[in-house]
Amino acid sequence: EAQVTQNPRYLITVTGKKLTVTCSQNMNHEYMSWYRQDPGLGLRQIYYSMNVEVTDKGDVPEGYKVSRKEKRNFPLILESPSPNQTSLYFCASSFLFRSGEPQHFGDGTRLSIL
Amino acid sequence: DQQVKQNSPSLSVQEGRISILNCDYTNSMFDYFLWYKKYPAEGPTFLISISSIKDKNEDGRFTVFLNKSAKHLSLHIVPSQPGDSAVYFCAASYGVNSGYALNFGKGTSLLVTP
């Protein structure tokens, strides 16, 4: 089954404790991205990757890191999480890097940082 | 600043009737518009898209209309079914320099009642 898989689905942690949210897609997609969804703000892009070893900042990259060492994986790293990073996170991928290309989303990771 | 706006947080429609979900945008550079549907505890799922050079796109029960002069688009669902009850997000994209990020509205929650 074609899918984008995120782990963990839920995590409660404390300020400053490094964490990684994994994202994997099995569709051989070039493009992958991370979004966060906050009440009253919709979804906002954090980082994206056009292909292996090529990443760039989205609208809200502060406090996050990413890497794309393999085509299928795009982990999101919070080196020193803070409470304002409490949010619902979505990973997405698309076959091509172009405008209008439908992105396929994972089911989300709810992070709570105390 | 929100570039894609969905001004109706919720909409209730009877089964069999037409659902019309509206979306306004401010950035004239957007060249693609997409609609996503989201069920609770799942990621957004792509529904239908339209290029800025078109004014209508149809896929089964779903039709999207684009009025560029008014910077307005709408999603029509005919006939509405209870399974259509979900949150609908309007999104827009443009430009390689923006990573073709999807700019999302805040969503409209559709309830289709039997």
Side-chain angles (χ1 to χ4, degrees):
Chain A
E1 183 190 348
Q3 58 187 7
V4 178
T5 304
Q6 298 178 226
N7 280 296
R9 293 291 311 277
Y10 304 91
L11 179 64
I12 301 174
T13 188
V14 295
T15 299
K17 186 176 180 184
K18 180 179 178 180
L19 67 92
T20 299
V21 184
T22 64
C23 174
S24 180
Q25 50 91 6
N26 62 0
M27 296 169 279
N28 200 36
H29 284 175
E30 281 187 359
Y31 181 91
M32 296 186 75
S33 63
W34 276 102
Y35 293 85
R36 60 179 286 175
Q37 183 184 13
D38 301 292
L41 292 176
L43 284 88
R44 295 176 294 166
Q45 192 180 56
I46 303 170
Y47 267 96
Y48 64 93
S49 169
M50 295 84 84
N51 215 322
V52 176
E53 302 292 1
V54 184
T55 64
D56 208 346
K57 297 176 181 178
D59 293 328
V60 287
E62 294 78 20
Y64 303 96
K65 284 176 58 176
V66 293
S67 68
R68 188 98 181 268
K69 294 186 172 61
E70 306 164 281
K71 197 170 188 178
R72 64 182 292 129
N73 296 322
F74 190 45
L76 179 70
I77 303 157
L78 285 72
E79 294 267 2
S80 182
S82 62
N84 64 10
Q85 293 177 298
T86 292
S87 187
L88 178 58
Y89 291 84
F90 290 101
C91 180
S93 71
S94 63
F95 185 59
L96 295 174
F97 176 56
R98 67 178 180 191
S99 189
E101 184 77 10
Q103 294 185 27
H104 302 257
F105 284 79
D107 285 338
T109 296
R110 187 168 291 281
L111 287 184
S112 293
I113 299 162
L114 307 177
Chain B
D1 187 32
Q2 197 89 17
Q3 298 183 73
V4 177
K5 299 177 184 176
Q6 294 176 258
N7 292 319
S8 299
S10 62
L11 176 67
S12 183
V13 170
Q14 277 192 316
E15 182 178 6
R17 307 290 289 267
I18 183 171
S19 295
I20 300 176
L21 295 98
N22 293 306
C23 178
D24 297 294
Y25 62 95
T26 57
N27 190 340
S28 58
M29 299 292 290
F30 288 137
D31 59 3
Y32 270 93
F33 302 90
L34 304 89
W35 285 93
Y36 280 81
K37 174 180 177 178
K38 185 182 181 304
Y39 293 117
E42 295 184 11
T45 303
F46 170 72
L47 204 52
I48 191 170
S49 64
I50 187 168
S51 162
S52 62
I53 63 173
K54 296 189 174 182
D55 54 20
K56 177 182 174 181
N57 190 26
E58 195 170 350
D59 184 1
R61 296 186 297 113
F62 302 92
T63 303
V64 57
F65 296 92
L66 175 63
N67 182 335
K68 280 188 71 176
S69 60
K71 293 193 176 68
H72 176 84
L73 63 154
S74 60
L75 175 69
H76 292 212
I77 306 174
V78 185
S80 300
Q81 300 172 354
D84 296 329
S85 298
V87 177
Y88 289 78
F89 290 96
C90 173
S93 70
Y94 78 103
V96 62
N97 291 335
S98 69
Y100 298 129
L102 290 173
N103 291 266
F104 282 89
K106 296 179 184 179
T108 296
S109 179
L110 173 66
L111 176 65
V112 180
T113 57

